[in-house]
């Protein structure tokens, strides 16, 4: 069984400030971890993913995340927020392989960026 | 260059009137998924097809059915929509192999039940 917990349903930052969105997971098998972004009335766009190998993964739009097995965490960061980053962010886990798209999502974090 | 296309983007249906949502893909992926996302909630998997094999999630209501006539198309049928079925419905695809890289999502269909 797998589960994801996102700490903080709303995060607000100033433009140019650090963005930190927290995600902790639980998985009985080696996890495949993802961050997706969703704009209003849109589908999900993949920001980045961890499968195996390097634990610090870089994604699109300047985002990155670090897989920490000991902490069962996969927090998303961006050094400098931009107004266009305002959206909802979902952390997700899957068992990978043929179950790659069977995703268990966290509850989401709405990111607000103010001038 | 849309790869997973959902039609329509917005659908209004009457309480109890059957409705069908459509998903097509140009990726030739053998796995297709349907997720339901209610307002301010996380997406929740309803079912998926691995080629022609249908896999229902245990808690998916019987009111929800799906068809996959070929690799490219998959349909979500709601036999008797209730007010509680109003949601965004997301279709996704992935390669059904250990070399899968990611799941690709469509833009979603926002269903309103009146």
């Amino acid at each position: 069984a797998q589960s994801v917990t996102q700490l903080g349903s709303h995060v607000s930052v100033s433009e140019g400030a650090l963005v930190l969105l927290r995600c902790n997971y639980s998985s009985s098998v080696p996890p495949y971890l993802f961050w997706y972004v969703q704009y209003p009335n849109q589908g999900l766009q993949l920001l980045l993913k961890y499968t195996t190998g390097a634990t610090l993964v870089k994604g699109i739009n300047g985002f990155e995340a670090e897989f920490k097995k000991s902490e069962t965490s996969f927090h998303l960061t961006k050094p400098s927020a931009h107004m266009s980053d305002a959206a909802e962010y979902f952390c997700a886990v899957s068992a990978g392989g043929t179950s790659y798209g069977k995703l268990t999502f966290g509850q989401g974090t709405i990111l607000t960026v103010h001038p | 260059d849309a790869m997973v296309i959902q039609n329509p983007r917005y659908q209004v249906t009457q309480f109890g009137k059957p409705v069908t949502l459509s998903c097509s893909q140009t990726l030739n992926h053998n796995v297709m998924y349907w997720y339901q996302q209610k307002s301010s909630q996380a997406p929740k998997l309803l079912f998926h097809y691995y080629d022609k094999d249908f896999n229902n999630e245990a808690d998916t209501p019987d009111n929800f059915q799906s068809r996959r006539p070929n690799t490219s198309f998959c349909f979500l049928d709601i036999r008797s929509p209730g007010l509680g079925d109003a949601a965004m419905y997301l279709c996704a695809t992935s390669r059904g192999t250990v070399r899968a890289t990611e799941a690709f999502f469509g833009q979603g269909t926002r269903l309103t039940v009146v």
Side-chain angles (χ1 to χ4, degrees):
Chain A
Q2 298 176 309
S3 66
V4 175
T5 301
Q6 290 183 238
L7 300 174
S9 57
H10 290 81
V11 170
S12 181
V13 300
S14 298
E15 191 172 21
L18 171 72
V19 175
L20 171 60
L21 304 182
R22 299 178 187 273
C23 172
N24 287 91
Y25 71 91
S26 172
S27 179
S28 56
V29 298
Y32 286 54
L33 294 160
F34 308 83
W35 276 100
Y36 284 88
V37 61
Q38 186 177 37
Y39 297 97
N41 286 314
Q42 299 289 319
L44 297 170
Q45 180 183 10
L46 182 68
L47 281 177
L48 48 78
K49 62 179 185 274
Y50 168 79
T51 55
T52 59
T55 57
L56 180 64
V57 293
K58 295 185 184 299
I60 62 171
N61 301 339
F63 285 94
E64 62 182 39
E66 186 170 11
F67 170 62
K68 292 187 176 181
K69 185 178 179 180
S70 61
E71 299 177 8
T72 60
S73 69
F74 191 57
H75 301 330
L76 180 71
T77 61
K78 181 174 180 177
S80 177
H82 192 273
M83 297 294 288
S84 62
D85 295 327
E88 188 160 19
Y89 292 79
F90 290 94
C91 182
V93 63
S94 86
T98 57
S99 299
Y100 213 91
K102 284 189 69 176
L103 297 161
T104 299
F105 288 90
Q107 287 297 91
T109 298
I110 295 173
L111 176 66
T112 302
V113 182
H114 50 86
Chain B
D1 283 23
M3 296 178 287
V4 182
I5 303 163
Q6 292 188 243
N7 284 306
R9 290 292 313 280
Y10 300 89
Q11 175 75 56
V12 180
T13 191
Q14 291 181 332
F15 182 95
K17 183 175 180 181
V19 65
T20 295
L21 309 182
S22 168
C23 177
S24 64
Q25 54 133 339
T26 59
L27 297 162
N28 204 35
H29 285 169
N30 56 334
V31 192
M32 294 186 77
Y33 310 83
W34 280 104
Y35 286 85
Q36 179 193 59
Q37 185 181 21
K38 294 188 176 181
S39 182
S40 302
Q41 295 186 22
K44 180 177 177 297
L45 183 64
L46 294 173
F47 28 59
H48 74 279
Y49 271 95
Y50 192 110
D51 292 324
K52 288 189 175 296
D53 293 332
F54 178 71
N55 299 270
N56 203 26
E57 294 301 299
D59 54 355
T60 298
D62 292 340
N63 198 26
F64 291 86
Q65 304 286 322
S66 186
R67 296 171 284 133
R68 190 179 185 186
N70 54 52
T71 300
S72 301
F73 285 87
C74 195
F75 300 99
L76 170 62
D77 300 309
I78 309 176
R79 292 192 295 189
S80 181
L83 297 178
D85 296 326
M88 173 76 91
Y89 290 88
L90 298 165
C91 175
T93 73
S94 70
R95 276 188 273 176
T97 73
V98 295
R99 292 187 178 277
T101 56
E102 66 179 272
F104 293 82
F105 281 83
Q107 293 287 64
T109 295
R110 169 79 61 189
L111 179 68
T112 300
V113 182
V114 298

